Each structure stands twice: as C-alpha cells, then as structure tokens.
Amino acid sequence: MKKLSEIFGRLFAGLETFLIQFPKTVIVLLLIACGFSLHYAVHNLGINTDTTEILSKELPFLQDRTRFLETFPQDEEAILVVVDAETPERAAQAVAYLGGRFRRETEGVESVYAPGEGAFFDHHGLLYLDLETLNELAANLIEAQPFIGALSSDNTLKSFLEIIGLALIAEDRGLPVDLNPLLENAGHVTEALLDDRDIRLSWQQLMLSDEQDLLSTKRFILLKPVLDYSELIPSEKALQSVRAIVEEAKSALPDVSIRLTGEVVLEHDELESVQRSAQIASFFSMILVCTALFIGLRSVKLVLITFTVLLMGLVLTAGFATLAVGHLNLISVSFAVLYIGIGADYTIQLSLRYQEFLQLHVPQQQALIQAVRKVGPSIMLCAVTTAVGFFSFVPTAYTGVSELGVIAGGGMFIALVVSVTVLPALLQLFPLKPGVNLSQSTFPDWVYEIPMRHHMRIKWMALALTLAGLGLLTQVRFDFNPLNLRDPKSESVATFLELLETKQTSPMTLTILADNELEALDKARQLSRLPSVESALTIFDFVPEDQDIKLDTIHELALLMGFRFATFPPLQQDSVDNHLTALTQFKNRIEQHLQDHPDSELIGNLLRLRHALESFLLQLQSKSLPEQESMLNRLQSNLLGTLPDTMNLLLQVLDADIVTLDNLPKDLSERWLSKDGIFRIQVFPSKNLGDHENLKQFVAEVRGIAPNATDLPVIYIESGNAVVKAFQQALVGALVAITFVLLLVNRSIKDTFLILLPLLMTAILTAASTVVMDNPFNFANIIVIPLLFGLGVDSGIYIMNRLRSMPDEQRSVLQTSTARGVIFSSLTTLCSLVSMAFTPHLGLASMGLLLSIGLLLMIVCTTLVLPACAHKRAN
C-alpha cells in the first residue's frame, strides 16, 4: 500500500508541479470543455419520465403487461374521472355533460369512455336486471299507471299533491313505490328548501329501490390523455385541459362532485409534489450547505472555489451523461445530488490538507503540491472504488438505477480530474493566507483521545449494536405500494383510496388474456371461486341471461302501461295561488289521515312532512310575491324534476330487443375482445387492496390459476421484487469488486477489512433503523444506498490512509484535517438532503430521514469505531 501510495503521490506531485505553472491555461481549457459540454447537454440530453421505462422490458411481468397493452391499448395511461351526485339522474346528467365536453377537447384527450353509459344501456338497461327484480318493477309500474297517466296530462305540483292526497284518503297504494319512501323523500326535499338547499327527489331510486347497480350515484369516465414524455411532467398539458373542463362543469353543476384520479393523475400530482418539495428543500439546503462548508473550511474564498469546482464537474458530468446514455430518467436525474455529495468530499479533503500545510508555514505553491501528493492517492482510490460500486448497478434489471450507475460512475472520475486540476489552479491564482489556526482544538484533548482510551468499550459496543442490527435485518421489508409515498390528502390519492374500499369500484383489478372462448369462460369460473376474488368478468357477462323471458315481460309491460305519449311532458308552470292552494289542501289531508288512522304505518313520515309543510307555508308568508314564486317553483322542480327523464328512459327500455356479442357497443366490446380474437378477463378483489396482505393474497391466488395475470397489483409487487433483487445483486457485486480493488492496492486483509468496517456497520444499522422507526425501504429512499456506499468507502480510505501515514501513532486522527474533512463532507451532504425529511412528499421525506440516519451512523463508525479497531495494530 505504501509503495503504491508513494508512486501515485510522486505522479500527482509531478503533475501538479507542471499544472500549477500554467493555472490560467488549465482553467481556460476546462472552461472551454465545460462550454462544449453544456451546449451538447442542453441540445441533446433528453428527459424520459415514463415510469414504465425504469425497469428492464425483459422482465416476465413487464412482458405480460406489454402483451396486454398491445392487445387492449384503450385504457393505457388513463385518467379516471369520478362523478358523485345525490341522485342517479343527476349523475347521469353530469356524465353526459362531461362526456360531450371531453369529446370536443381534441388536443389533450385522445379518447373518452363512460362505462355503463350511453344509448345502448338506456335502451337495454332492463335486460340486465335479474328476473325477480324485473317482475317487481313491472308490478310497481302497472300499479302506478294511473298516477303516471295523471301527471302526463298535468305535470305540476298541484296534480302531484292531489294524487297523493286522494291516495291517503282512500288508503290507496297505487303509487310507483311504497308510500312511506315517497313521503319520506318529500319531507327531506321540503326541509332542505327551508334551509335554502336543493335536494331532488330521485324517481329512479323510488322505482328501483333494490337494484343498486342501476341506482349508483357514483359514475366513471375513462379518458386517454395525450402524453409528452419529452417533458418533465408528460401529462401537464393534457391535465390542464381536463381540469379546465372539470372546473367549468363544477360551475355548471355545483351540486355534483367531480374528482380526478388514476395512474396518470397520481403520477402527475406526485411529480408536482416532488417539485414543490424539492424547491422547499433546495432553499434550506443551500443555506445549510453554505453554513457547513464555511464552518468546515473557515474561508469564504475557499467555499466559493469549492462551489466553482463542483459546478464545473457537474456540467462535465451532464455532458458525459448525454454521450453515454442520452437521457435522464426519474432515477438518474438524482445524479447531481450524488455528484455533489461525493465530489464535495474530494475538494474538502484537498482544501483542508492545503490549509494544514499553510499552518505549518509551507510555502503556498509547495503546500498545493504536497496536499495533492498526500491526498491524491486516497482520492484516486476513492474514485475507483466508488465508480466500481456505481458500475455494479449497470447489469441489473433496474434500468433506472443502471443508467444512474453509468452516469454517477463516470462522474466520479470527472470529479477526480476536476479536483486535482481546477482546484489547485484556482488556489494558485487566488491563494489563501494562513488565517485561522486549524490545528487548534475545538474540544478538550480527552475528547479526541476517546477512540484510543476506550477502544475496547467501543469495540464491544460496536459488536453488540452490529449483532442487534443483524437480528433486525430479518424484519426489514420493502414497501412496494407507491400510494404510500404520495400525499394522502391530495384529491387523486384520497379518491383512489376511497375507491379501494368498495368491491364494485376498486381500480386495483387484475387482467388475464385468453386465446379462445372456452378458455376465457373456464378461467373466469375458476377465478370466481377464489376467496380473494369478488367477480371475474368477460365480454359474455354483457350478454344478459334469460333474454327471451325478460323481453316477454318488458313487451307485456309496454302493452299494459299503454303510454299515449312519445316523450313525457316537462314540468308545467303554475300560478302561486294554485301552488299555495295545493299545499294547504295537502296539509289538511295529512291531518285528516292522522285523525282517521292514528295507528297508521305512515304516521312517522306524515308527522314530519306536515311539520315541514307548516314551516314552509309560514316562511312563504314573510316573502314577497316574486320570492314566493321562486320558492314554489323550486319545490315543484325538486319533487318532480327528475320524473320526465326517468319516464323517457323507461320509454326507451320498454322498446328493448335482443343483445348479442355482435351488437354490443364498439367502445365496450373492443375492451373485452380484440380484433385478433383475444378475450380479456377482468378480476375484481373481494377485499381492500390498500392492505398489504390482502394485495399479496389476491395476486398470489389469481396467479396460481393464471400465472400471466397482469395490471397494477402485479406491477406493484413485481416491481418491488425486481428493485430489491437488483439492489441485492448490485450491492453484493459492488462489495466484491471494491474488496478486490482494496486488496490489490493495500495488499493487506486487515487494512481492507478496517476500510470496509464503517461501510458494513453503517449498512447494517441503517437497514435496522428502518425497522425501529417504521420507515421501510421503498422506491424513493432505496436510492440512498448507493450514496452511502460511495461515501462509506471513501471515508474509510481517508481515515486508514491517514492513520498509516501518521508519524506519531499516539496522536489522535480526529485532530487531523482528514477527520475534519470526513466529518464536514458528510455533514455537507447531510445538509444538502436532510431538509427533504420535512417536505410534504412522503417518498422524499422517507429518503431524507433514512439518509440522515445513515450519514450520522457513518460519521460515528468512521471517526470512532474505525480508529478504535485500528488502535491495537497501531501499538
């Protein structure tokens, strides 16, 4: 080790002697190189923000996904619009309104699909009821025929109240629904109006009280946006257009809730959150980094020179990234953080050793040469070992980190070159004065002697902590659910989690492709019997059963209803006097019914309705005539406004005909049966897949029958498995390669072990901290590992090289510029990233927290454990 160090030291000294004679030339040449690099990067470096590109396409689960999307591309990268209204009628109106607006938006929206909506389902909706429900509906409609006929002639509040009043007097139940629900809803409508709120009575809910699928007030629209992956946020323009339409709809339909979610929106919101968080973190990081550098270097001039060197190296690394890879992905974009974290380490070590020589009254130029000679071999070894560590990620299937490994690995050699050329050249042009005595101790001497004085205690304590950490490693887990990295309060995440709670609306489904009809039906039957599966749908589920019987019932109902209108008439305007007379007479009839039938089953709702009507009439007395007219018209609209739409829909479904695969709507059938005859099976979970164990069970059971099942649940789990496997392979490879390089250079097993000791301890204890602090590894914070790997090796090399070169073995290494360099370099990196722990983005927060823990552990292991373990040999 000493021989190689001496050889490289003399080489660096000779190089510096030559370069220092021409500092301006060195700087000009590097600036020209930076200019070319910056120009090349700006015009050629792309940004690929497609999250599907960060893993190798050769992975089997991604090949399954690719086959599915090639066969059924309609819903790839979709925006899910969730519409909630108080009534089914209002929800349908909102979907129709939004669908029309989205279809006219040609720039940002490629296609629009509203499941279960449109002319086909309006025409054939009754065929999708079961026979019992259809027969009950038919019986209710037949009984209500006189009521419907009367309103078709006079669709007013007066006519409506007169019919119910007559029914009460005659104890007639000839209404489209039981009288209690009608009276209850009429009471709600009237009470709401007293509070100046509009609640519309849903006639669909009254007529189909038991058919939840048809009465759902939650509807969906699937949008396929136009994405631009050359932009940092590919969906930005499309979502701006979509959200503008949504805001317009919210103004037009203030009583309807419209929310956006789906993978496109989730990823867009996450990228925006990352940007906001990064801006917040960057502001505080810059302040903290400058403070840490100034405290460590104790020179404003040296801090500015350090920033200049780092900036030049960063520009050259960007050019290298353009040449070697050509683009940045969502992972490799962090190369700047890695470069600054590790590159600053090189400049700090050189700067502090240079200051140390100045304090020893070594002449300026000779101080520069000696600093590079003493530190240069360590920096070169650090660059080689760190680059080897990063290059170990290149062969893995994690493409995002593989590309990061290429860029960061090359960046380490760029950092080496820039540090040993530009930094000395700048210091030659702008030399430092000795200034503050850096050798002066900040703490009492006994503090620096702790590693030697208490080396046995430190060794035993380190051993105990390491063994405890190893014990906790069995509980380390990887959180593969990206939802846990996102802001749970954002609309897209909150809506997605809400949908997961309901079996019928869960967006986390699985898809299986079948080559023929028999295979599709057979697998669907098998899947439906699984405990974790709620249902398994195929295109055949859209062909209703028992159609002949149902059509007979529907056609018979049409004859018995005998409608004499092509469309149900809209609400008719009426005078204030007629409205008031009708309300007063209806209130009197309620009172008469209560007197005649004190034990009536209607008594509860009648009492409530009577009270509401009394309050309503009393409130009207205090209003002007125009205000009375407005309130009465609102009451009529809220009670009868949805009836025309319901009856017009009924007219359509009474004219239903047979449904076959051939006459299914194209936008529906193409999502279930491809042009090549491939059938799609969509499997819905029976449990909330927001729970980790439920998700694993669902995927495992379904893939037990259909190994090639794909979609979000599989992507989440398998992506996590692929990432964990990639990091395991890379870290083992990196450790082996770094160990080989250290053995080759040091030619000492003990020295190699001691250099790796801080890294190994830091890795074990950092991983154990994820268990203790319930901060599991995830897609975001796992990027901390290569950074800690590089810094951990570098710190061990610096301390060991200084220990072996110290003439007085009794002197504490903690009092040297090397130890200060290790500490302040780590603190600089910590300051640059620790602010992320306090950002709103949960992924960045977990990264900042884990990195802070890892860097603090590394400082302790390098400055305490390593000198303590090396002390015995030093004696």
Side-chain angles (χ1 to χ4, degrees):
M1 175 179 173
K2 289 183 179 180
K3 290 182 179 180
L4 285 175
S5 296
E6 288 297 324
I7 293 172
F8 286 123
R10 286 195 295 270
L11 286 175
F12 278 114
L15 178 65
E16 291 306 316
T17 302
F18 174 76
L19 293 177
I20 287 175
Q21 294 177 6
F22 310 100
K24 294 181 180 178
T25 304
V26 171
I27 293 172
V28 169
L29 289 175
L30 263 297
L31 284 174
I32 292 173
C34 287
F36 278 113
S37 179
L38 183 62
H39 181 272
Y40 181 59
V42 168
H43 290 86
N44 296 281
L45 184 62
I47 298 178
N48 183 5
T49 51
D50 187 352
T51 54
T52 63
E53 297 289 337
I54 63 173
L55 289 170
S56 171
K57 293 293 185 181
E58 300 302 316
L59 291 170
F61 77 95
L62 287 182
Q63 291 181 337
D64 293 335
R65 175 71 170 172
T66 300
R67 184 191 173 214
F68 163 54
L69 294 178
E70 289 175 349
T71 308
F72 298 101
Q74 295 83 2
D75 297 336
E76 180 183 8
E77 303 288 353
I79 297 173
L80 181 61
V81 184
V82 182
V83 177
D84 288 285
E86 291 183 346
T87 64
E89 295 92 336
R90 194 59 168 167
Q93 290 174 0
V95 169
Y97 177 88
L98 285 166
R101 288 291 291 109
F102 288 137
R103 289 184 179 91
R104 293 195 295 273
E105 176 54 48
T106 56
E107 291 187 5
V109 178
E110 185 176 330
S111 66
V112 181
Y113 173 61
E117 305 290 334
F120 174 84
F121 289 99
D122 289 345
H123 190 62
H124 298 93
L126 292 184
L127 290 175
Y128 290 91
L129 299 176
D130 59 60
L131 280 173
E132 183 179 354
T133 303
L134 179 60
N135 290 330
E136 289 179 2
L137 172 63
N140 289 338
L141 288 173
I142 291 170
E143 289 182 1
Q145 197 278 338
F147 174 82
I148 295 170
L151 285 176
S152 67
S153 301
D154 181 16
N155 192 8
T156 62
L157 176 64
K158 176 183 177 182
S159 178
F160 172 71
L161 295 177
E162 284 179 350
I163 294 171
I164 301 178
L166 290 172
L168 285 174
I169 292 174
E171 298 189 39
D172 185 6
R173 299 295 180 266
L175 296 168
V177 291
D178 291 339
L179 197 55
N180 252 325
L182 179 59
L183 295 173
E184 181 181 6
N185 280 276
H188 286 317
V189 169
T190 309
E191 289 171 346
L193 197 54
L194 289 170
D195 296 329
D196 200 28
R197 294 182 297 110
D198 289 309
I199 295 179
R200 287 177 169 252
L201 189 151
S202 171
W203 288 91
Q204 285 187 27
Q205 289 177 330
L206 288 175
M207 294 179 182
L208 298 167
S209 57
D210 295 327
E211 189 49 48
Q212 295 303 316
D213 290 340
L214 293 181
L215 297 176
S216 175
T217 56
K218 188 185 294 292
R219 306 292 174 91
F220 304 97
I221 302 175
L222 283 171
L223 305 177
K224 188 172 184 180
V226 178
L227 303 180
D228 183 1
Y229 288 110
S230 64
E231 299 288 338
L232 180 61
I233 304 181
S235 57
E236 181 67 33
K237 293 180 181 178
L239 270 175
Q240 284 179 353
S241 301
V242 169
R243 281 176 167 152
I245 293 174
V246 168
E247 290 305 313
E248 175 188 312
K250 286 180 178 179
S251 298
L253 307 167
D255 57 327
V256 177
S257 168
I258 306 170
R259 296 171 292 170
L260 301 180
T261 188
E263 277 299 291
V264 169
V265 186
L266 288 168
E267 290 176 4
H268 172 274
D269 290 352
E270 181 177 21
L271 286 172
E272 281 195 336
S273 177
V274 168
Q275 283 187 327
R276 289 194 302 270
S277 299
Q279 290 169 358
I280 296 171
S282 298
F283 175 75
F284 290 104
S285 294
M286 186 59 66
I287 297 174
L288 293 172
V289 167
C290 290
T291 303
L293 283 174
F294 180 74
I295 293 173
L297 300 176
R298 303 185 189 184
S299 167
V300 174
K301 182 187 292 186
L302 207 50
V303 170
L304 293 175
I305 290 174
T306 297
F307 271 116
T308 301
V309 174
L310 287 175
L311 182 61
M312 292 177 70
L314 201 55
V315 169
L316 291 172
T317 304
F320 170 75
T322 309
L323 181 65
V325 180
H327 63 262
L328 298 176
N329 58 53
L330 292 174
I331 305 297
S332 62
V333 74
S334 64
F335 85 92
V337 174
L338 294 175
Y339 179 89
I340 292 173
I342 300 176
D345 194 26
Y346 301 165
T347 59
I348 289 173
Q349 286 293 336
L350 282 170
S351 298
L352 288 178
R353 187 62 70 93
Y354 163 67
Q355 286 181 308
E356 184 178 316
F357 280 119
L358 288 180
Q359 296 302 322
L360 297 174
H361 305 291
V362 176
Q364 154 72 17
Q365 185 170 323
Q366 192 62 29
L368 280 174
I369 294 172
Q370 288 300 315
V372 175
R373 179 175 182 175
K374 295 293 185 182
V375 180
S378 296
I379 291 179
M380 186 179 70
L381 181 57
C382 289
V384 172
T385 54
T386 306
V388 166
F390 283 128
F391 287 145
S392 297
F393 288 88
V394 175
T396 67
Y398 197 2
T399 307
V401 175
S402 175
E403 293 176 353
L404 173 64
V406 172
I407 297 169
M412 294 304 99
F413 292 112
I414 293 173
L416 170 66
V417 172
V418 174
S419 297
V420 299
T421 56
V422 178
L423 180 64
L426 287 172
L427 288 173
Q428 178 68 10
L429 292 175
F430 306 100
L432 299 182
K433 295 179 180 179
V436 180
N437 185 3
L438 295 176
S439 62
Q440 183 178 358
S441 298
T442 305
F443 301 101
D445 288 344
W446 66 267
V447 174
Y448 300 100
E449 297 295 330
I450 287 177
M452 282 76 71
R453 290 180 179 273
H454 305 284
H455 64 95
M456 289 305 297
R457 290 191 181 92
I458 292 174
K459 288 178 185 177
W460 283 111
M461 188 178 297
L463 179 61
L465 287 173
T466 303
L467 291 176
L470 287 171
L472 289 173
L473 291 186
T474 57
Q475 301 177 46
V476 171
R477 64 184 180 89
F478 184 90
D479 185 358
F480 53 76
N481 190 345
L483 289 175
N484 294 335
L485 305 183
R486 296 162 177 161
D487 182 3
K489 296 181 181 179
S490 68
E491 178 187 89
S492 57
V493 175
T495 304
F496 197 89
L497 293 174
E498 176 188 309
L499 295 178
L500 284 177
E501 295 176 359
T502 308
K503 300 174 184 178
Q504 291 79 9
T505 62
S506 177
M508 294 276 278
T509 63
L510 288 176
T511 294
I512 296 102
L513 301 183
D515 294 327
N516 54 64
E517 177 180 341
L518 290 177
E519 182 185 355
L521 291 172
D522 181 57
K523 283 190 176 179
R525 281 192 294 268
Q526 293 182 60
L527 292 165
S528 298
R529 291 194 286 265
L530 295 174
S532 62
V533 171
E534 175 67 17
S535 61
L537 299 183
T538 68
I539 191 171
F540 304 105
D541 291 293
F542 293 94
V543 178
E545 297 179 345
D546 304 317
Q547 290 192 67
D548 291 338
I549 301 174
K550 292 177 181 178
L551 285 172
D552 288 342
T553 302
I554 292 170
H555 294 157
E556 182 180 352
L557 176 62
L559 290 173
L560 292 172
M561 293 297 292
F563 290 145
R564 296 184 177 87
F565 47 83
T567 59
F568 198 84
L571 285 176
Q572 300 173 19
Q573 295 298 318
D574 207 345
S575 66
V576 172
D577 289 340
N578 283 344
H579 282 321
L580 289 174
T581 300
L583 285 170
T584 303
Q585 290 177 350
F586 182 59
K587 182 176 73 71
N588 293 335
R589 285 177 178 173
I590 290 177
E591 292 174 347
Q592 185 64 47
H593 185 85
L594 290 172
Q595 291 177 7
D596 297 342
H597 305 279
D599 297 327
S600 171
E601 61 181 15
L602 305 175
I603 191 167
N605 286 316
L606 286 174
L607 287 171
R608 181 176 181 179
L609 182 56
R610 183 185 67 177
H611 178 72
L613 289 174
E614 288 173 346
S615 300
F616 185 77
L617 289 169
L618 186 63
Q619 191 176 107
L620 283 175
Q621 292 176 8
S622 63
K623 304 286 185 181
S624 64
L625 184 61
E627 290 175 329
Q628 288 181 1
E629 183 178 14
S630 174
M631 284 191 68
L632 289 166
N633 286 336
R634 285 171 65 186
L635 179 62
Q636 175 176 271
S637 176
N638 291 344
L639 287 171
L640 295 171
T642 66
L643 182 60
D645 289 339
T646 300
M647 296 311 301
N648 288 328
L649 182 61
L650 180 61
L651 287 173
Q652 293 184 60
V653 295
L654 290 180
D655 192 34
D657 52 18
I658 199 78
V659 174
T660 65
L661 288 181
D662 295 331
N663 66 7
L664 288 174
K666 182 182 177 182
D667 61 352
L668 184 149
S669 61
E670 68 184 5
R671 284 172 163 78
W672 297 90
L673 178 60
S674 74
K675 296 177 181 178
D676 299 328
I678 303 298
F679 291 82
R680 176 185 181 182
I681 308 167
Q682 188 171 15
V683 188
F684 290 81
S686 62
K687 302 176 183 178
N688 184 348
L689 296 194
D691 181 86
H692 177 81
E693 294 302 321
N694 291 344
L695 181 59
K696 285 175 37 177
Q697 180 190 6
F698 180 56
V699 171
E701 289 185 359
V702 171
R703 295 182 85 185
I705 293 174
N708 294 326
T710 186
D711 228 327
L712 286 182
V714 170
I715 301 298
Y716 285 179
I717 290 179
E718 290 297 342
S719 295
N721 292 338
V723 168
V724 171
K725 184 178 179 181
F727 271 91
Q728 288 174 341
Q729 292 174 344
L731 292 177
V732 171
L735 187 60
V736 171
I738 290 171
T739 302
F740 176 76
V741 172
L742 291 175
L743 285 172
L744 184 65
V745 173
N746 294 329
R747 298 181 182 180
S748 168
I749 296 177
K750 289 184 178 180
D751 281 2
T752 299
F753 171 75
L754 288 172
I755 289 172
L756 292 175
L757 180 63
L759 169 63
L760 296 174
M761 279 195 63
T762 299
I764 292 170
L765 295 178
T766 302
S769 75
T770 64
V771 178
V772 175
M773 303 192 69
D774 193 24
N775 181 35
F777 285 114
N778 53 53
F779 290 105
N781 65 24
I782 201 167
I783 306 303
V784 167
I785 293 178
L787 178 59
L788 290 177
F789 218 84
L791 289 173
V793 173
D794 291 356
S795 299
I797 290 172
Y798 291 136
I799 295 297
M800 276 304 300
N801 281 1
R802 191 59 188 264
L803 280 170
R804 294 297 172 250
S805 65
M806 289 172 61
D808 182 8
E809 297 294 349
Q810 296 303 315
R811 182 187 172 199
S812 172
V813 73
L814 298 185
Q815 291 179 297
T816 66
S817 62
T818 301
R820 286 196 300 275
V822 168
I823 293 172
F824 283 109
S825 175
S826 299
L827 288 177
T828 301
T829 306
L830 177 63
C831 290
S832 69
L833 297 172
V834 69
S835 54
M836 292 191 304
F838 305 98
T839 59
H841 186 269
L842 300 184
L844 288 180
S846 70
M847 183 192 298
L849 175 61
L850 192 63
L851 183 64
S852 301
I853 294 170
L855 287 172
L856 291 173
L857 286 171
M858 190 189 70
I859 292 174
V860 172
C861 293
T862 305
T863 58
L864 289 180
V865 179
L866 175 55
C869 291
H871 177 66
K872 185 175 181 179
R873 176 173 175 171
N875 288 335

